């Protein structure tokens, strides 16, 4: 069955490697029968700051403005700004979302963070009861596809930048999985600006090959929400803790139980 794909793309230059990666995704997925839509955030001049201007009409509590609560009310009333509403519509329609960007300061560029902050509003994208494995978007898949400025060795467990799995945890668990997305392993293009053009071409070809089977890939592993006790501060249930007491590694990068981190937990499916 043909899928609807949304690519949230962030780069200022049409001649960039990020643009080439985005174009490859559009081409290969379209050839497979997918309907692909691109949100080109810089071209759209997408607003990155979460402010009261995102709400049409009156604010409930202007003196003590709370973005999450105010945008929830606005979303329920159909009074979010047009740019947010449009992105939420695209997200509702899509079955797969790919975020394509260059890594800035170990995370996403501000314009992508602004997309997360403004589009994934309370009520629309998550609630107290609907998050993680019980999340609103649990039937959708999402993934990060990005370039780095540093070589892969620098993002290893022994590298100066630290383990990339740790870097990815706040993004993949704290944003994507939090909203319920099934998270595909990231596509990481290591330091394309520091390698020969032939190597960049090889990177793109590997991406094209992966895209051929992307829709059938297994997703990353996260600890199910029912493993935590909501009445006790969402701590891991004793029986789950005991079951893993003798294991060499923790459950995930974040829920590590004081043990060694499971290798490639945020970079490869099935581990």
């Amino acid at each position: 069955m043909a899928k609807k794909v949304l690519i949230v793309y962030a780069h200022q230059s049409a001649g960039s490697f990020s643009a080439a990666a985005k174009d490859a995704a559009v081409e290969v997925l379209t050839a497979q029968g997918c309907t692909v839509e691109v949100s080109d955030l810089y071209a759209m001049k997408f607003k990155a700051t979460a402010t009261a201007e995102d709400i049409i009409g009156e604010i409930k509590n202007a003196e003590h403005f709370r973005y999450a609560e105010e945008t929830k009310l606005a979303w329920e009333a159909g009074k979010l700004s047009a740019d947010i509403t449009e992105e939420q519509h695209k997200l509702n329609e899509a079955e797969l979302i790919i975020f394509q960007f260059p890594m800035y300061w170990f995370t996403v560029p501000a314009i992508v963070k602004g997309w997360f902050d403004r589009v994934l509003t309370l009520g629309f994208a998550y609630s107290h009861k609907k998050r993680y494995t019980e999340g609103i978007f649990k039937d959708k898949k999402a993934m990060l596809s990005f370039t780095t400025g540093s070589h892969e060795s620098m993002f290893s467990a022994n590298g100066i930048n630290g383990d990339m799995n740790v870097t990815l945890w706040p993004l993949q668990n704290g944003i994507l999985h939090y909203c319920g997305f099934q998270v595909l392993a990231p596509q990481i293009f290591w330091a394309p600006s520091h390698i020969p053009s032939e190597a960049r071409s090889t990177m793109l070809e590997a991406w094209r090959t992966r895209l051929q089977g992307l829709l059938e890939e297994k997703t990353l592993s996260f600890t199910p929400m029912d493993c935590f006790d909501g009445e006790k501060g969402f701590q891991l249930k004793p029986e789950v803790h005991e079951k893993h007491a003798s294991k060499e590694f923790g459950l995930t990068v974040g829920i590590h139980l004081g043990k060694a981190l499971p290798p490639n937990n945020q970079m490869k499916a099935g581990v």
Side-chain angles (χ1 to χ4, degrees), residues 189-207:
F189 301 103
W190 302 102
S193 61
H194 300 297
I195 59 175
S197 60
E198 297 81 15
R200 288 195 292 274
S201 296
T202 300
M203 277 185 173
L204 281 175
E205 281 307 308
W207 176 223

Side-chain angles (χ1 to χ4, degrees), residues 32-201:
Q32 290 181 310
C34 295
T35 300
V36 183
E37 186 162 16
V38 178
S39 286
D40 185 339
L41 300 186
Y42 285 107
M44 294 159 59
K45 292 181 169 52
F46 189 80
K47 177 173 165 284
T49 52
T51 68
E53 295 171 359
D54 296 341
I55 297 163
I56 299 168
E58 291 186 11
I59 303 297
K60 182 181 178 182
N61 188 344
E63 283 190 24
H64 181 49
F65 179 74
R66 295 189 296 173
Y67 190 82
E69 288 73 13
E70 293 284 359
T71 51
K72 179 177 184 292
L73 293 172
W75 169 70
E76 291 171 341
K79 293 185 176 180
L80 286 173
S81 62
D83 60 340
I84 294 175
T85 301
E86 177 62 22
E87 293 306 296
Q88 289 183 340
H89 175 72
K90 293 177 188 176
L91 184 49
N92 274 333
E93 291 289 307
E95 296 160 88
L96 168 65
I97 300 90
I98 300 173
F99 296 91
Q100 182 67 59
F101 58 92
M103 179 169 273
Y104 282 8
W105 293 110
F106 290 53
T107 188
V108 297
I111 202 165
V112 178
K113 182 57 165 60
W115 191 96
F116 289 141
D117 290 347
R118 299 179 66 232
V119 177
L120 302 179
T121 55
L122 176 61
F124 168 74
Y126 68 96
S127 69
H128 179 71
K129 292 184 178 180
K130 294 182 178 180
R131 50 186 172 157
Y132 293 119
T133 47
E134 302 300 322
I136 289 171
F137 299 132
K138 63 184 179 181
D139 295 325
K140 298 179 185 291
K141 293 181 179 179
M143 69 173 293
L144 306 179
S145 176
F146 61 94
T147 61
T148 68
S150 299
H151 292 286
E152 183 175 7
S153 61
M154 296 170 71
F155 274 109
S156 67
N158 297 318
I160 191 168
N161 290 346
D163 190 339
M164 177 59 86
N165 289 277
V166 176
T167 299
L168 289 171
W169 178 258
L171 297 172
Q172 295 186 156
N173 180 75
I175 299 176
L176 301 183
H177 179 53
Y178 189 92
C179 294
F181 288 111
Q182 301 171 52
V183 185
L184 292 168
Q187 180 69 27
I188 306 176
F189 301 103
W190 302 102
S193 61
H194 300 297
I195 59 175
S197 60
E198 297 81 15
R200 288 195 292 274
S201 296

